[in-house]
Amino acid sequence: MAFLKWEDYVMFVITLVFSLGIGLFFSLRSNRLKTTKRFILGDGNMSSFPVALSLMVSFESGVMMLGVPAEVYMYGMQWYISIIASFFSYLLTTHLLIPSLKELKLTSINQYMELRYNSHGLRLFATIISLLSWANYLGTVLFVPAVTLEIVAGIPMWISIVSLTIVVVVYTIIGGFTAVIWTDVFQAFLMFGGMFAILIKGTMEAGGVANTWSIVREKGRFNMLDFNPDPTLRQSFWSLTIGGVFHGLRMQFNQATYQRVKATSTVSAAKRMYMIAAFLLLFISGLAVLEGAVMFAYYHSKGCDPLEVDQVRNQNQLIAKMVRDIFLDTPCLPGLFLAALFSASLSTMSSVLSAMSAVFWEDIIKPHTKPMSDKRAIRIAQLSVLFFGGISVCIAIGISGIDGPISRILDITGSCFDGAVGGLFILGWFVPRANARGGLVGGFVSVLFVGWISFGKLISSGVRVTAKLEPASTEKCPPLNISGIINATLYGQLSAGTMWNESYYKTDVTPTTIISEPDGLDTLYSLSYKWLTPLGIVLVLIVGSLVSRLQARTPVDPSLVVPICDYLCCCMPELFRRKFRCGVKYPPTVKNTDEAAAESAVEMLSPHDSSRLSSG
């Protein structure tokens, strides 16, 4: 399977060495990272654009570069609706939440739980759930480049997984958060370069823009709007839109997001950073969708669908197969793609490891140990990076046995954690009457219920299956010999124009209709994967609000709650808006600008609360 040349390996090695070099540079520049806070949050004075690039690549990783093209290839371009919905959610919450998050004097976002709910137990619960969510994400991201390297270079998956983990752990440990930011910037440009190379060359090989677009439309890949309300459909306009909105909300309450908000110097810089990141996310996700469309047009025009004839064993290897085919005789470009893919995964892994290190130190170690020197604290944070890197290796190997596009696998395996954590933060910021007991009960219900559905989706054989769209043509595919290996000589003849009988190949069902009907619990397990995170968040909000109402109302610090009605219903009468404040006395300036609101809220803190915030 290997086809890389020496120049491709050179480009790939340069990427890894450069990433390590950035970590070493910032380690020396910062004089061994004098404080724990600097190791975790950087110097807090970075410009908006590099931090926005870092935030973008933190969430758009190799999962996007492999999973999204595979998704579009098999099911069409409608997935992009969720990104558009997330984009508008980012724009809205930039004004609602970023100012308040920026003003918090905390190191870990989970410290908010203890301040808002006055409960260390709830903070610990949120911390454990967050770490589980990050570990699942980290393992998924690690699996992506390994499965690619297996097909393009013939390197066993476990070797790639271990090697990549070693590289990212080393430069995260020696460089700290500042190294993570600047390595992300370098890797972001590599990602864009690799994606543009695939789009340009792939479109040319597919017969040009007009032919590519004609094939995509004719074969049903441009299926953006499906208004069927059935919640068990794999994807529809409603599940993608609502799921995208909730995903955008969840991303606000993420340690990686919070670290980048704190890395900027002012509230306006933080808002500008987040806006830039939102546009970058929209753009790069669009490139990934176009890659999937071009890939389908390419294989259809060549007359051989690699999925239908088992030329790839995993649909997540499709884009790597295409790179091997279109760049076979082009020096350096396969290496560029490999470097781009590994850069996407490296940047995400470093961000995740940095976030997990911050959460582990601030929420688990620091509150339960005696005060210690910064040197020892940094050492513990560094060891935690090594520990979580080891866990990610185990998860990556486990995920390799799950079938389906990697983006779908991630949504299923992580929804029970993401929904619970996101719900707890949304409950705290937007529901003034919420208390610790309500949050804890709502969180447990969310984790257990959504986790039950997710587990059922993965193991039940009666789950509703939605057929793929019509596959690409297989009329020019090469025959297989007895051992299932492509006859290379005949392949050359077929490529020259010889037709091959499609009946030699076992194909999947081609209609777009549903091909199995579930009953009993399988109906619940068939719920679309895009509904899982919204369901988890809504369960926390409903159960948490109801349980909280059974107890007496407790005072709430106005700096820890967002008056959403004052922002979104500013034209409504004051009497109406006052009811939604639930007795919380917000500063009068909350009706004017976001930044003034945040500043006034901080000024209203009591001396005791101020000391608690500054201690973070």
Side-chain angles (χ1 to χ4, degrees):
M1 298 292 283
F3 79 104
L4 296 181
K5 301 178 178 64
W6 68 267
E7 57 266 29
D8 300 314
Y9 286 107
V10 168
M11 180 167 284
F12 174 57
V13 171
I14 288 174
T15 302
L16 300 183
V17 171
F18 206 90
S19 299
L20 286 171
I22 293 174
L24 181 60
F25 172 78
F26 282 101
S27 176
L28 297 174
R29 183 182 180 185
S30 59
N31 194 19
R32 295 293 180 179
L33 305 167
K34 291 183 178 179
T35 66
T36 313
K37 193 167 186 178
R38 184 180 178 88
F39 178 81
I40 293 174
L41 296 178
D43 57 12
N45 195 34
M46 302 191 71
S47 58
S48 298
F49 186 70
V51 180
L53 275 175
S54 177
L55 183 60
M56 181 268 292
V57 298
S58 296
F59 299 128
E60 299 301 337
S61 63
V63 173
M64 175 204 66
M65 293 189 68
L66 292 192
V68 173
E71 168 72 32
V72 174
Y73 190 95
M74 294 185 296
Y75 298 104
M77 301 170 70
Q78 63 179 176
W79 174 87
Y80 193 57
I81 293 292
S82 66
I83 298 300
I84 297 174
S86 295
F87 172 74
F88 285 106
S89 178
Y90 295 149
L91 297 185
L92 175 64
T93 52
T94 296
H95 298 285
L96 286 178
L97 287 164
I98 293 298
S100 298
L101 290 175
K102 176 64 177 175
E103 293 299 329
L104 292 176
K105 311 300 181 185
L106 308 175
T107 301
S108 165
I109 187 65
N110 292 323
Q111 290 174 265
Y112 168 84
M113 294 292 179
E114 188 164 1
L115 292 177
R116 169 62 179 85
Y117 295 104
N118 195 28
S119 170
H120 183 72
L122 188 57
R123 172 183 172 183
L124 194 59
F125 172 75
T127 298
I128 293 172
I129 297 300
S130 297
L131 289 175
L132 290 173
S133 175
W134 277 122
N136 174 71
Y137 186 52
L138 192 61
T140 307
V141 170
L142 183 57
F143 161 73
V144 167
V147 77
T148 304
L149 205 57
E150 185 179 46
I151 190 172
V152 301
I155 299 176
M157 188 182 299
W158 71 269
I159 295 179
S160 301
I161 288 174
V162 173
S163 301
L164 182 61
T165 303
I166 291 173
V167 171
V168 74
V169 164
V170 168
Y171 82 71
T172 303
I173 286 176
I174 66 176
F177 183 68
T178 305
V180 169
I181 292 287
W182 287 110
T183 308
D184 285 351
V185 172
F186 162 68
Q187 292 163 349
F189 284 106
L190 278 177
M191 287 173 60
F192 281 117
M195 296 176 80
F196 277 118
I198 293 172
L199 286 173
I200 294 170
K201 180 67 171 176
T203 302
M204 292 170 60
E205 293 288 330
V209 175
N211 190 55
T212 298
W213 184 247
S214 175
I215 293 172
V216 168
R217 290 184 64 88
E218 179 185 342
K219 296 301 179 179
R221 262 59 188 179
F222 190 68
N223 54 347
M224 301 292 283
L225 302 178
D226 181 357
F227 293 101
N228 191 326
D230 186 351
T232 63
L233 285 179
R234 185 179 183 277
Q235 289 177 164
S236 68
F237 175 83
W238 308 111
S239 64
L240 291 168
T241 300
I242 296 174
V245 168
F246 278 94
H247 173 78
L249 282 173
R250 168 69 183 97
M251 288 301 101
Q252 299 272 343
F253 312 114
N254 186 297
Q255 179 64 24
T257 302
Y258 181 69
Q259 284 177 272
R260 283 151 184 80
V261 168
K262 300 297 288 184
T264 55
S265 56
T266 63
V267 172
S268 60
K271 293 173 68 175
R272 184 166 57 250
M273 177 276 298
Y274 204 74
M275 290 282 285
I276 294 172
F279 280 99
L280 288 172
L281 286 164
L282 187 68
F283 178 67
I284 198 170
S285 298
L287 293 182
V289 169
L290 290 177
E291 277 187 326
V294 169
M295 180 167 62
F296 179 83
Y298 167 76
Y299 281 114
H300 185 75
S301 65
K302 297 302 178 184
C304 188
D305 188 322
L307 272 182
E308 296 298 299
V309 296
D310 296 327
Q311 291 181 5
V312 293
R313 67 174 182 83
N314 187 309
Q315 51 263 62
N316 298 299
Q317 294 176 324
L318 275 169
I319 195 69
K321 173 70 167 61
M322 179 186 176
V323 168
R324 195 180 74 173
D325 291 343
I326 65 177
F327 293 138
L328 185 60
D329 299 319
T330 307
C332 292
L333 286 183
L336 175 62
F337 164 75
L338 197 60
L341 178 63
F342 268 71
S343 293
S345 298
L346 283 170
S347 59
T348 300
M349 289 180 64
S350 62
S351 297
V352 171
L353 286 170
S354 177
M356 294 177 79
S357 172
V359 168
F360 181 77
W361 164 251
E362 284 292 334
D363 298 323
I364 294 181
I365 300 299
K366 187 177 178 180
H368 305 100
T369 57
K370 296 178 180 179
M372 64 182 70
S373 67
D374 278 316
K375 183 177 180 180
R376 186 178 180 189
I378 291 173
R379 186 60 53 84
I380 292 175
Q382 290 173 329
L383 288 175
S384 71
V385 172
L386 183 62
F387 172 73
F388 290 121
I391 290 179
S392 68
V393 170
C394 301
I395 295 176
I397 293 174
I399 287 175
S400 65
I402 302 177
D403 187 40
I406 194 66
S407 53
R408 172 182 172 273
I409 293 173
L410 181 61
D411 279 339
I412 292 176
T413 56
S415 293
C416 62
F417 306 128
D418 291 340
V421 175
L424 285 173
F425 279 106
I426 294 171
L427 182 73
W429 280 109
F430 297 139
V431 183
R433 289 203 60 168
N435 58 36
R437 182 171 296 178
L440 197 59
V441 174
F444 268 115
V445 169
S446 177
V447 170
L448 294 176
F449 189 72
V450 177
W452 171 39
I453 297 176
S454 299
F455 187 70
K457 290 181 76 66
L458 293 175
I459 68 168
S460 176
S461 59
V463 173
R464 170 172 285 182
V465 177
T466 302
K468 306 182 189 74
L469 297 178
E470 180 183 355
S473 171
T474 57
E475 62 183 11
K476 297 181 182 179
C477 284
L480 304 181
N481 62 21
I482 296 175
S483 62
I485 302 174
I486 295 173
N487 185 318
T489 303
L490 187 53
Y491 179 73
Q493 298 172 359
L494 292 170
S495 298
T498 305
M499 305 296 287
W500 182 254
N501 191 340
E502 292 186 39
S503 64
Y504 276 81
Y505 299 97
K506 177 177 68 68
T507 60
D508 292 333
V509 179
T510 58
T512 58
T513 55
I514 296 169
I515 61 175
S516 63
E517 289 295 334
D519 54 21
L521 284 177
D522 286 329
T523 304
L524 180 63
Y525 298 153
S526 298
L527 185 69
S528 169
Y529 71 100
K530 282 295 182 182
W531 285 114
L532 295 179
T533 296
L535 175 62
I537 292 175
V538 170
L539 280 174
V540 176
L541 293 177
I542 293 175
V543 175
S545 297
L546 291 176
V547 173
S548 297
R549 279 191 169 272
L550 299 177
Q551 296 177 286
R553 182 181 300 176
T554 56
V556 178
D557 189 325
S559 69
L560 303 176
V561 184
V562 172
I564 188 170
C565 190
D566 286 273
Y567 284 109
L568 303 183
C569 307
C570 56
C571 297
M572 299 298 293
E574 172 66 19
L575 181 63
F576 175 82
R577 285 182 283 140
R578 188 182 302 128
K579 291 183 179 180
F580 283 88
R581 295 175 191 153
C582 299
V584 179
K585 298 186 180 299
Y586 298 102
T589 51
V590 77
K591 303 172 188 177
N592 297 329
T593 65
D594 296 342
E595 293 185 23
E599 293 169 1
S600 299
V602 172
E603 291 173 1
M604 291 185 64
L605 288 173
S606 66
H608 174 67
D609 291 328
S610 297
S611 64
R612 291 170 67 194
L613 284 171
S614 61
S615 66

